[in-house]
Amino acid sequence: MMNIMRFKGLPILQQLHIEEQLLRTSSDNWCIINDGTCDPTIVMGVSGKPAELLEIESVLRDQVPVIRRFTGGGTVIVDCGTIFVTFICNKEAVSDLQPYPRPIMSWSGLLYSKVFQGIGDFHLRENDYVFGNHKFGGNAQSITKSRWIHHTSFLWDFDVRNMSYLKLPKRAPAYRFARGHLDFICRMKDYMPRSTFIDKTVEAASTQFSLRSFELEEIETLSETESNPSTRLLSAEELEADVIAGR
């Protein structure tokens, strides 16, 4: 059994707080689909360093929010053109799946191969979802003693101007070939309609789980355990201090 929640335009900080709560306090399996987030927001992995990853002067000038999430992975800027899909599962939820990053990544690649069957040249390349050698889906994970989360930001569309807030990462997949952001990524909208992708993702999940629709209001009754999320907004002072410390 898997509970599924579908949102449209849920703020990404709220979504990440929900995901962290469900990972740590729920014993159910979950699929969360959020069709876009309201305002352009930068989301960094748990160990990301702003001075190495962001053009901080521009970020501060334009007051772009920066979030440090609770999972690993790289840095993305998300907005209304991003579609988010998250799976949160108990370790025994998927038969014969070893709860380690590579097996979970491989499982997700097989699931999305059903979604993109016959569309573009889809495959899992290193830790990215790509059409050919152009990335359109970035992934992050966290694995606890008894559960794991795998969440993805899909670039259905993006604003070229927003990419200027991100520096070229020092560590990048080999297939990137030192390409800049705009030469490295592509838009899903050039391959399939937005609603079709979401419907096909739900359909693919239903081939492995019995899905039950769940409403946001029901989460409050899940557990008496107080959730204290580690995902948070970084302050302007923290961003500035990181630049100074890196000099």
Side-chain angles (χ1 to χ4, degrees):
M1 178 68 70
M2 174 171 278
N3 298 321
I4 183 168
M5 289 194 293
R6 296 178 62 166
F7 303 108
K8 186 173 181 62
L10 188 73
I12 186 58
L13 182 60
Q14 184 179 358
Q15 177 188 331
L16 289 166
H17 283 169
I18 290 170
E19 292 178 4
E20 190 171 357
Q21 177 188 352
L22 293 176
L23 177 68
R24 306 199 189 286
T25 69
S26 172
S27 58
D28 293 337
N29 303 309
W30 296 86
C31 174
I32 298 171
I33 300 175
N34 183 18
D35 187 3
T37 190
C38 300
D39 301 312
T41 304
I42 293 168
V43 184
M44 302 174 52
V46 65
S47 59
K49 298 179 179 179
E52 294 180 1
L53 299 167
L54 308 178
E55 299 290 353
I56 293 182
E57 183 177 336
S58 299
V59 169
L60 292 173
R61 180 195 65 217
D62 297 339
Q63 299 182 329
V64 181
V66 179
I67 294 171
R68 189 189 301 281
R69 64 177 182 267
F70 67 100
T71 56
T75 300
V76 293
I77 182 162
V78 299
D79 58 18
C80 60
T82 313
I83 303 174
F84 307 92
V85 182
T86 299
F87 291 97
I88 304 171
C89 292
N90 293 316
K91 287 189 173 179
E92 68 277 6
V94 180
S95 178
D96 299 324
L97 177 64
Q98 294 296 311
Y100 298 103
R102 286 186 180 275
I104 294 171
M105 201 68 241
S106 296
W107 170 81
S108 75
L110 291 174
L111 184 139
Y112 285 112
S113 68
K114 299 176 183 178
V115 176
F116 297 109
Q117 185 174 6
I119 300 173
D121 180 19
F122 168 79
H123 52 283
L124 171 65
R125 193 159 187 177
E126 300 189 38
N127 293 320
D128 301 331
Y129 301 136
V130 302
F131 290 128
N133 65 350
H134 290 88
K135 175 179 177 178
F136 67 91
N139 303 285
Q141 299 176 349
S142 181
I143 301 171
T144 68
K145 182 178 180 180
S146 59
R147 290 164 66 73
W148 54 263
I149 180 172
H150 174 86
H151 52 189
T152 307
S153 300
F154 288 97
L155 290 174
W156 189 80
D157 196 6
F158 59 84
D159 186 334
V160 170
R161 294 170 298 179
N162 287 341
M163 296 302 158
S164 64
Y165 296 118
L166 307 180
K167 289 183 177 179
L168 290 178
K170 292 182 178 179
R171 294 179 60 187
Y175 79 94
R176 184 165 184 161
F177 304 128
R179 289 178 289 167
H181 293 300
L182 299 181
D183 293 325
F184 176 54
I185 59 178
C186 65
R187 294 174 168 89
M188 284 177 60
K189 73 175 186 178
D190 295 332
Y191 294 86
M192 68 191 310
R194 192 167 185 148
S195 59
T196 300
F197 166 70
I198 293 173
D199 290 344
K200 283 184 172 290
T201 298
V202 173
E203 181 181 345
S206 71
T207 65
Q208 299 201 23
F209 300 93
S210 297
L211 301 182
R212 170 183 177 264
S213 294
F214 211 88
E215 298 299 325
L216 179 59
E217 293 74 17
E218 298 179 75
I219 292 179
E220 298 176 358
T221 64
L222 286 177
S223 173
E224 296 180 358
T225 304
E226 288 295 327
S227 178
N228 184 23
S230 60
T231 298
R232 63 185 184 87
L233 278 170
L234 298 183
S235 68
E237 289 76 17
E238 287 177 289
L239 295 174
E240 292 168 344
D242 192 75
V243 173
I244 295 171
R247 288 174 179 168

